Amino acid sequence: MAGGAACGNERQGPPGTRYGAPMSGLKKFQVTFDCADPERLARFWCEVLGYVIPPPPEGFATWDDFNRTLPLEKQGSWFACSDPSGVGPRLYFQRVPEGKIVKNRVHLDVRVGTGLMGDERLAMLEAECTRLVALGATHVQTLYADEENESCIPMLDIEGNEFCID
């Protein structure tokens, strides 16, 4: 990974544009994670993003109560979380039998340094990196700003999925 391009943080135009072209036809979407432990990974991402776990289905006091009503092979097979403001995408976590073998083809860029540059941006990224490492994330490396890209920090979540803070 050379430069900040690995994090997708190339300098862009004003909000709502990319490379100066207006964005139109926006769609809502859900991000799905294949994983080993859906609830554990969902709770990790809640802490990273400030997301919340939705209430269990009607008639159940807890998600554990709901899970106990499912066939054994379905118990704990999925979990979800969402942006409490309803703006960001829902995250859905589904258990899969195979482990992560190679680099994930989609990763999240967690935008904590938006609008900041130079030392101020780097300090914000490093502080967030420290917070996420305490939650179980792994710091891969720090990519420092160059003539084309701002600084970013590639990391791994608790199941080894790559993401960046930028």
Side-chain angles (χ1 to χ4, degrees):
M1 289 186 216
C7 293
N9 70 348
E10 65 277 349
R11 294 190 175 110
Q12 299 178 17
T17 67
R18 183 166 180 88
Y19 308 115
M23 295 179 359
S24 62
L26 294 176
K27 309 286 189 273
K28 294 247 180 211
F29 64 95
Q30 169 176 283
V31 178
T32 300
F33 289 74
D34 290 347
C35 59
D37 188 342
E39 182 173 352
R40 180 172 176 251
L41 194 56
R43 291 188 184 282
F44 170 82
W45 280 103
C46 281
E47 291 295 324
V48 172
L49 301 173
Y51 271 37
V52 295
I53 303 296
E58 190 173 323
F60 298 95
T62 67
W63 280 104
D64 285 338
D65 291 343
F66 170 76
N67 264 318
R68 282 191 287 274
T69 68
L70 300 174
L72 191 57
E73 69 276 3
K74 298 283 186 188
Q75 291 180 13
S77 65
W78 65 272
F79 214 76
C81 61
S82 58
D83 176 352
S85 72
V87 175
R90 178 179 188 251
L91 303 183
Y92 180 79
F93 303 84
Q94 62 186 1
R95 186 174 57 220
V96 295
E98 68 278 357
K100 181 179 179 298
I101 310 267
V102 296
K103 180 178 177 173
N104 44 306
R105 295 186 62 170
V106 174
H107 74 253
L108 302 183
D109 290 337
V110 180
R111 310 301 302 267
V112 299
T114 302
L116 302 176
M117 297 178 78
D119 292 342
E120 186 179 19
R121 177 185 174 85
L122 186 57
M124 179 68 74
L125 298 179
E126 288 173 339
E128 184 68 358
C129 179
T130 299
R131 183 180 83 85
L132 299 181
V133 166
L135 295 173
T138 301
H139 174 224
V140 174
Q141 72 182 108
T142 300
L143 299 172
Y144 296 96
D146 58 25
E147 300 78 35
E148 192 174 327
N149 300 292
E150 289 296 334
S151 296
C152 71
I153 301 178
M155 301 190 74
L156 302 175
D157 73 14
I158 58 174
E159 287 201 8
N161 300 302
E162 298 168 18
F163 71 98
C164 288
I165 51 177
D166 80 15

